[in-house]
Amino acid sequence: MDLIRLSVVQRTLRLILIVLALLFTITPLLWIISIGLRPGSQAIFPISILPSSLTLDNVYAVLFGPNAIGLTPYQNAAVYGITAAVTTAIASSLGGYALARYDLKAGQAVLIVILALSFLPAASRIVPLFILLSASGHYGDPLFVTLAYAAGSTPLGIWLMAGTFRQIPIRLEQAARIDGAGAFLTMRRVILPLAIPGILVVATLAFIDGWNAYSLPLILIPKDTAQPYTVALQAYIREVGFGNNWSLLSAGSLVGLVPVLVVFALLQRRLVRVGGLGSAIRG
Amino acid sequence: MVRRVVARATPWLLLVAPLVLLFLFLLLPYLLTFYYSVTGATIGHLSNVPLVGSANFQAVLTSRNPPFPGVLFVTAAFTVGTLVGSLVLGTVLALALYTVPAGRRSALLAVYLIPWVIAGVVIGYTWKLMYDPEIGLANTLLEAVGVSPVSWLSDRATSIAALVVANVWAGYGIVLLVISAALANVPPNLILAGQVDGAPVARIVRRIILPAIRPAVLLAALVALVGGLNTFDLIYAMTKGGPLYQTETMALEMYRLTALKGSIGQGAAVTVILFTISLLLAVIYVVLWRREARKWT
Amino acid sequence: MNKRLMALLSVVTIVGSACNATAPASQAPASQPAATTGASQPAASAEAVKLVVWPRNYTLTQDPPFQPVTKTWEAAHPGVTVELSGAPYDPQFQRIELSQAGQISDVPDIVQLDNIWLGQFTEEKILANLDSYYASWAGKTDILPAYADSTKWNGSQQAVWFYSDIRLLIWNKDVFKKAGLDPEKGPATWDDVMADAQAIKEKVPGVVPVGFPAASQEGTVDRWYPYLYMTGSNILSPDNKTAVFNDAGGQKAVQFYVDLVNRGYASKDLLTQEADAVSASVFSGKYGMMLATVGSGLSDRPEGMTAEQFKATIGAIVPPICAGCQQATVAGGWMLGITEKSTHKDLAWDYIMAVTDGAQMVPFEDQFTRVPVRQTGLADPSKFATDPYFGESAKAAAVAHFPPFIAKYTGMIEFIWTGIQKAVNGDLSTKDALDEAANSVNTLLATP
């Protein structure tokens, strides 16, 4: 913002703040890299901040060594994330539109309750979902676990989409209607393009929730070939590393970090771009 | 005539898909949970369960391992800590970035957002390593300046704070993002007006900018609050709620009672209590939101 | 008879009889549960059948007991595949409990259960009644007499003995050497432990002298029991109705832990450490000694370490005693059960027979320092040569105790564990912590 001029002192303060925040954010990741990429023999007390040699042995062990988790858990997580993203985007758009365009008193109350429910940790749904899924014969089916996560992201998604849709002037819709366009066409040609930034935000949030899912798959996806990497990693660290083999743990965490960082790097423009989130929250 | 019926039904038709999804996977499980909270269900005994009235709630509220006020305190401390930490850090940083050119600002925002996209378990392990008494960076740095090592995660005095730091690290990015977006949308005229009056930067921030972004701050506060209350994976990976329940929030107590101990009735009781608190917070939030929205229309 | 066979027989007999003595005395045959017992199901047809087996994780990493026998068994039973999935201790209990609720979809046919879970699982109707199988099992006389009846609950057979184990103290010889202690001589008394710990504390900085698990429930109490029993105390009264572990002996045993922490020989971080992690730390030299581990620790050795290297790294000894106390250790063991919901009980029994065959189990028991439960397993004692500390195991077995077989065992140990934790953490005095635990246990035992 070029409007505000800062004095030298203020500039320095700003710089210090930005740098400190950068350090705060990056340092734990650097430490994980430092421990994960050094030989296990160097990961003991007293420890040097910089390793004297680097090795990929730990990463290799986690991915391909004995009892390794392999690449399947990552594929699983990707599938679950995308499914959750698509489901949430659709559900949130429909719900958000309804809420934005129609004044439904009942809808408000329901939304408050649902919002309150989404405050609760996903883990609190484990047992009832277990019972419901078992009773309907779907226990162990990852699709339903993914839908459960989508349901968790949807309330906030509806809220955000409602905000997005409120931004779109109703005159546009009315104009299209006057021109004879049916509801569907209006939706597709007029509204959706304007709502895309909001939809992308909601989809990204849901993807992250689905990709990072842990507590529900932990109990509800017992088959290890269908588990996401969060569960596989935890089991691996517990069994092979006894919970305190830091070399393996760090290497495993690194492996868990890289894919999500790649995806994030690709999508961050959209997410960070002021327009997208800004319009969503203005409502 | 038909058209009118269709027209009136449209909003509900639209809502069918999300409502079905929410009902099946969100509402119904919780309804079941509320039901189980008044039964004596255990993992080994889930059908034909006896109704036990408020026995589960009594057990939870009067339990000695852990004492309920303790769990409440840990939950409150952790949630408030996360909320305040994320809000303060996010807002201050957003203000600092406000005057940075857009290109650099986007790049920095992307970096600050990185922790937010990492899985809770992985964040837990990352910070567990940071806090490790032997090879953690925290103690290594302490030793470099001659201070004796601290058991961050097992020491009663530091464990909750250590967890809060990790959770703030995880969540402040989204707060930062929301407030940055709001800042970018502050009408320049307001700021120009302030400058014309010769106001110093600090006053412009306080009197003009902060009030202008209040809705965004509210939204960010909501996200941060949910992030604090909701947190399970991170704490579980770091301390499992221990040692001796000193880091056990209600979320963890619910999991422990349900999945580890098998007392589904008691776990459900904890969920009900947590839901009551959440409902209260949701109502307060909506009230605040409405009041804010009214100011701007 | 050669020495090894004598030692082996005594190990097994004594451990087994200790186990049997604490099994529920009520042999009054309760009305047979109307369970579908294996009264001849139709002969296995050629349709694809899957037998789901849930053993402990470490049993899958060795060749016996499962890998080789599964291949030959599958070959002998065309159309049947065996699906094995292992789990660590706590998740094993958890998933067996969870499998009980809900529908069939991934319910196991066979589960490996800790002997202390037998009562609970039976009362929860997780395990099938095996009386009819036992009745027609000619080989049941192969089970050592001392163990034969302890797979019964309320008069019915509910499981098949798999293998047994005892607890010893282990130490890291390298750490001892660096502390100026004789690496071949482990502490024989509590005073020795304190003296050795002091030496380690002074001479080997960065190493914690003594470790014991305090994180998980069963892992903690199980490794503590030897120190309780050696004071002459017990967990419950003989009728299993009242807690007695808070008596003078019990307090002494907990105070031992507390003193270790107060003198800086053990760290409060142990409150976050489970048994596997502690033993791994002894192997890696992070800790000097572990007060009690399974067998001589041979089975915990890191992958790739030979028995020779193990002997050079680790020493093992019967748990050290307090002044005026008796030598004691605790014994445990694992059984195989068939789930009530299994639709392949005949096949499951057949598989169990193949796996638990005495001779088949020997290499596993040898490598993992487990105590065999079959007579055929003892046929060639020279096969148990891997463990350099077999003599100590035999000594310990002679003084082994089994924890009480009650249905509420897992509920009870939660209180004992919490009491130990509170005392170690300094939240309560030892006496108060144990009294609180005893009160909770008594309340638990009193409720139906």
Side-chain angles (χ1 to χ4, degrees):
Chain A
M1 200 88 271
D2 293 334
L3 289 180
I4 298 192
R5 297 280 156 75
L6 296 177
S7 69
V8 174
V9 171
Q10 287 163 334
R11 262 181 213 273
T12 324
L13 270 173
R14 179 185 71 177
L15 185 65
I16 294 178
L17 192 59
I18 291 181
V19 168
L20 279 180
L22 267 179
L23 281 179
F24 177 56
T25 306
I26 300 287
T27 311
L29 299 173
L30 287 178
W31 193 242
I32 284 272
I33 294 176
S34 170
I35 301 283
L37 294 182
R38 73 170 70 185
S41 51
Q42 286 186 33
I44 54 171
F45 175 89
I47 196 160
S48 54
I49 294 198
L50 288 177
S52 51
S53 58
L54 292 176
T55 171
L56 281 177
D57 283 348
N58 298 320
V59 179
Y60 187 82
V62 173
L63 279 182
F64 306 114
N67 304 316
I69 60 180
L71 294 173
T72 326
Y74 298 93
Q75 292 167 346
N76 294 335
V79 168
Y80 303 154
I82 294 177
T83 315
V86 169
T87 314
T88 308
I90 297 177
S92 300
S93 301
L94 292 173
Y97 186 78
L99 220 59
R101 289 289 182 244
Y102 302 91
D103 187 26
L104 302 162
K105 289 282 158 50
Q108 292 278 357
V110 170
L111 198 64
I112 291 182
V113 171
I114 291 184
L115 201 63
L117 286 179
S118 74
F119 282 11
L120 298 174
S124 50
R125 284 179 278 157
I126 290 181
V127 171
L129 279 175
F130 174 75
I131 296 169
L132 289 170
L133 292 179
S134 303
S136 57
H138 290 295
Y139 174 64
D141 188 342
L143 172 65
F144 288 83
V145 178
T146 313
L147 288 179
Y149 271 97
S153 315
T154 303
L156 194 62
I158 292 182
W159 194 274
L160 287 174
M161 287 313 296
T164 309
F165 283 124
R166 280 205 198 100
Q167 291 303 301
I168 300 173
I170 194 155
R171 294 188 307 278
L172 282 176
E173 268 176 84
Q174 291 167 333
R177 287 290 177 77
I178 289 175
D179 284 350
F184 245 138
L185 207 58
T186 320
M187 195 80 193
R188 234 182 47 195
R189 289 282 174 75
V190 177
I191 302 175
L192 269 185
L194 290 174
I196 289 236
I199 295 181
L200 274 176
V201 169
V202 169
T204 311
L205 296 184
F207 173 80
I208 293 175
D209 271 350
W211 169 271
N212 288 337
Y214 174 68
S215 48
L216 287 180
L218 184 62
I219 306 277
L220 298 176
I221 304 184
K223 199 160 271 172
D224 36 18
T225 47
Q227 283 171 348
Y229 75 96
T230 44
V231 180
L233 195 59
Q234 182 254 11
Y236 177 79
I237 285 172
R238 199 212 163 105
E239 286 197 39
V240 180
F242 302 123
N244 65 358
N245 181 330
W246 293 117
S247 305
L248 288 180
L249 190 148
S250 308
S253 301
L254 270 179
V255 178
L257 283 175
V258 167
V260 84
L261 286 182
V262 166
V263 170
F264 177 65
L266 293 174
L267 288 178
Q268 53 100 339
R269 273 281 167 74
R270 294 267 184 192
L271 197 55
V272 167
R273 198 192 307 162
V274 163
L277 202 47
S279 62
I281 61 172
R282 206 132 12 100
Chain B
M1 182 47 196
V2 174
R3 222 192 227 160
R4 192 168 282 171
V5 171
V6 169
R8 191 152 324 147
T10 314
W12 296 103
L13 281 174
L14 284 175
L15 280 175
V16 160
L19 278 183
V20 165
L21 179 72
L22 289 175
F23 177 73
L24 282 180
F25 292 96
L26 200 61
L27 264 175
L28 193 54
Y30 283 120
L31 286 175
L32 256 182
T33 305
F34 295 163
Y35 163 66
Y36 275 120
S37 68
V38 291
T39 68
T42 62
I43 281 195
H45 188 194
L46 276 175
S47 45
N48 303 323
V49 286
L51 286 172
V52 295
S54 63
N56 290 323
F57 290 91
Q58 278 177 18
V60 168
L61 291 172
T62 59
S63 153
R64 260 193 312 203
N65 298 318
F68 186 71
V71 177
L72 210 51
F73 171 74
V74 174
T75 311
F78 182 76
T79 308
V80 169
T82 306
L83 175 63
V84 170
S86 315
L87 262 186
V88 167
L89 183 56
T91 313
V92 168
L93 199 53
L95 287 171
L97 285 178
Y98 183 45
T99 53
V100 171
R104 247 177 277 165
R105 184 183 339 139
S106 293
L108 284 171
L109 275 176
V111 172
Y112 294 131
L113 257 185
I114 290 177
W116 187 71
V117 303
I118 304 178
V121 214
V122 176
I123 298 182
Y125 287 141
T126 305
W127 278 90
K128 193 169 178 197
L129 176 60
M130 287 284 285
Y131 289 129
D132 184 68
E134 313 251 309
I135 65 167
L137 186 59
N139 277 346
T140 310
L141 290 176
L142 277 187
E143 245 140 320
V145 293
V147 180
S148 52
V150 177
S151 290
W152 300 98
L153 293 176
S154 5
D155 205 324
R156 192 167 286 255
T158 57
S159 43
I160 300 181
L163 287 176
V164 167
V165 169
N167 209 26
V168 166
W169 182 83
Y172 85 94
I174 190 69
V175 171
L176 173 61
L177 185 64
V178 167
I179 299 195
S180 282
L183 281 175
N185 285 316
V186 171
N189 311 317
L190 284 179
I191 306 185
L192 280 173
Q195 284 188 319
V196 159
D197 289 346
V201 172
R203 196 173 310 160
I204 294 186
V205 167
R206 225 167 28 135
R207 289 287 173 76
I208 299 180
I209 297 184
L210 283 182
I213 58 170
R214 208 176 284 158
V217 173
L218 260 184
L219 180 67
L222 175 69
V223 175
L225 179 70
V226 171
L229 262 185
N230 227 328
T231 308
F232 171 75
D233 309 352
L234 184 145
I235 305 182
Y236 194 68
M238 286 176 85
T239 63
K240 288 204 171 52
L244 275 176
Y245 314 110
Q246 63 195 30
T247 56
E248 180 150 299
T249 60
M250 292 186 71
L252 276 127
E253 184 180 29
M254 181 275 311
Y255 181 78
R256 183 177 54 83
L257 285 173
T258 308
L260 297 181
K261 195 166 163 188
S263 301
I264 299 206
Q266 290 185 4
V270 175
T271 305
V272 170
I273 299 175
L274 191 54
F275 172 70
T276 314
I277 298 177
S278 302
L279 196 58
L280 218 70
L281 291 171
V283 167
I284 294 177
Y285 180 79
V286 172
V287 164
L288 285 175
W289 180 264
R290 285 256 185 85
R291 206 184 291 172
E292 198 54 43
R294 236 173 281 149
K295 268 198 222 146
W296 287 92
T297 44
Chain C
M1 243 206 267
N2 77 49
K3 260 199 198 149
R4 208 160 261 280
L5 180 58
M6 279 294 285
L8 207 41
L9 273 181
S10 45
V11 165
V12 154
T13 318
I14 290 153
V15 169
S17 48
C19 150
N20 212 29
T22 52
S26 58
Q27 299 290 331
S31 53
Q32 299 272 337
T36 53
T37 51
S40 51
Q41 288 170 1
S45 51
E47 19 151 306
V49 167
K50 197 175 65 168
L51 205 63
V52 179
V53 181
W54 282 3
R56 277 299 313 279
N57 47 349
Y58 58 82
T59 60
L60 293 179
T61 61
Q62 293 284 94
D63 273 343
F66 287 109
Q67 312 289 14
V69 87
T70 303
K71 288 201 192 68
T72 46
W73 191 84
E74 275 178 341
H77 294 79
V80 185
T81 46
V82 176
E83 186 185 282
L84 294 157
S85 87
Y89 189 90
D90 284 330
Q92 176 76 351
F93 177 79
Q94 205 183 333
R95 66 173 178 165
I96 296 179
E97 287 271 283
L98 275 178
S99 77
Q100 146 79 353
Q103 294 233 348
I104 303 288
S105 29
D106 260 322
V107 171
D109 296 289
I110 299 174
V111 295
Q112 179 177 348
L113 56 142
D114 194 326
N115 64 332
I116 55 181
W117 302 338
L118 183 69
Q120 183 172 350
F121 285 172
T122 308
E123 309 244 319
E124 288 176 354
K125 308 223 184 346
I126 294 180
L127 296 175
N129 184 313
L130 301 177
D131 279 341
S132 61
Y133 290 110
Y134 267 81
S136 50
W137 180 24
K140 65 172 175 263
T141 48
D142 191 31
I143 302 230
L144 289 160
Y147 283 89
D149 279 339
S150 52
T151 36
K152 280 195 197 167
W153 187 261
N154 282 346
S156 301
Q157 290 282 7
Q158 302 286 152
V160 179
W161 261 109
F162 201 5
Y163 54 86
S164 185
D165 46 47
I166 47 92
R167 309 279 171 268
L168 298 177
L169 176 148
I170 58 168
W171 72 89
N172 184 302
K173 291 189 177 174
D174 205 44
V175 170
F176 266 41
K177 254 183 256 167
K178 288 197 192 134
L181 301 165
D182 178 356
E184 300 305 317
K185 187 166 172 295
T189 66
W190 290 12
D191 289 336
D192 287 345
V193 171
M194 295 294 184
D196 291 348
Q198 178 65 19
I200 297 175
K201 183 172 168 196
E202 280 169 8
K203 309 231 181 82
V204 198
V207 167
V208 179
V210 178
F212 52 83
S216 71
Q217 298 181 9
E218 172 62 10
T220 305
V221 299
D222 171 86
R223 308 294 191 270
W224 172 72
Y225 287 152
Y227 296 93
L228 172 70
Y229 287 126
M230 66 175 61
T231 64
S233 179
N234 220 316
I235 303 176
L236 295 179
S237 55
D239 63 0
N240 284 345
K241 292 239 168 62
T242 329
V244 300
F245 55 80
N246 58 333
D247 62 7
Q251 292 179 36
K252 197 165 165 182
V254 174
Q255 192 60 35
F256 184 40
Y257 275 21
V258 175
D259 289 341
L260 285 169
V261 171
N262 288 343
R263 294 192 204 174
Y265 301 148
S267 138
K268 277 195 194 171
D269 280 333
L270 290 170
L271 290 169
T272 61
Q273 305 256 323
E274 302 194 1
D276 282 343
V278 177
S279 69
S281 295
V282 174
F283 272 90
S284 69
K286 211 168 106 162
Y287 290 172
M289 49 182 133
M290 182 176 180
L291 289 180
T293 194
V294 175
S296 62
L298 179 67
S299 52
D300 295 331
R301 66 189 187 283
E303 216 160 299
M305 181 185 261
T306 65
E308 286 302 310
Q309 293 166 327
F310 167 75
K311 183 169 178 197
T313 316
I314 299 285
I317 192 174
V318 175
I321 54 174
C322 31
C325 300
Q326 304 281 345
Q327 283 213 329
T329 192
V330 74
W334 291 88
M335 308 169 168
L336 288 174
I338 304 180
T339 55
E340 179 63 39
K341 289 199 175 161
S342 168
T343 48
H344 311 296
K345 293 197 176 70
D346 282 355
L347 281 174
W349 176 263
D350 204 68
Y351 183 75
I352 291 181
M353 288 295 104
V355 168
T356 57
D357 172 71
Q360 211 272 131
M361 288 294 291
V362 163
F364 168 75
E365 286 154 351
D366 176 43
Q367 285 285 322
F368 271 79
T369 64
R370 294 304 196 264
V371 178
V373 298
R374 302 291 187 93
Q375 315 205 46
T376 46
L378 296 173
D380 186 357
S382 66
K383 291 242 168 72
F384 287 86
T386 312
D387 185 2
Y389 302 107
F390 190 77
E392 294 296 313
S393 292
K395 261 196 256 167
V399 293
H401 301 244
F402 266 82
F405 263 39
I406 57 172
K408 292 188 182 164
Y409 182 78
T410 45
M412 173 179 78
I413 58 172
E414 185 195 338
F415 298 119
I416 304 181
W417 166 70
T418 308
I420 297 178
Q421 279 206 326
K422 287 192 180 177
V424 166
N425 202 36
D427 287 349
L428 288 176
S429 72
T430 307
K431 180 173 186 320
D432 289 339
L434 283 177
D435 282 343
E436 185 184 83
N439 283 337
S440 306
V441 169
N442 287 335
T443 313
L444 173 72
L445 293 177
T447 52

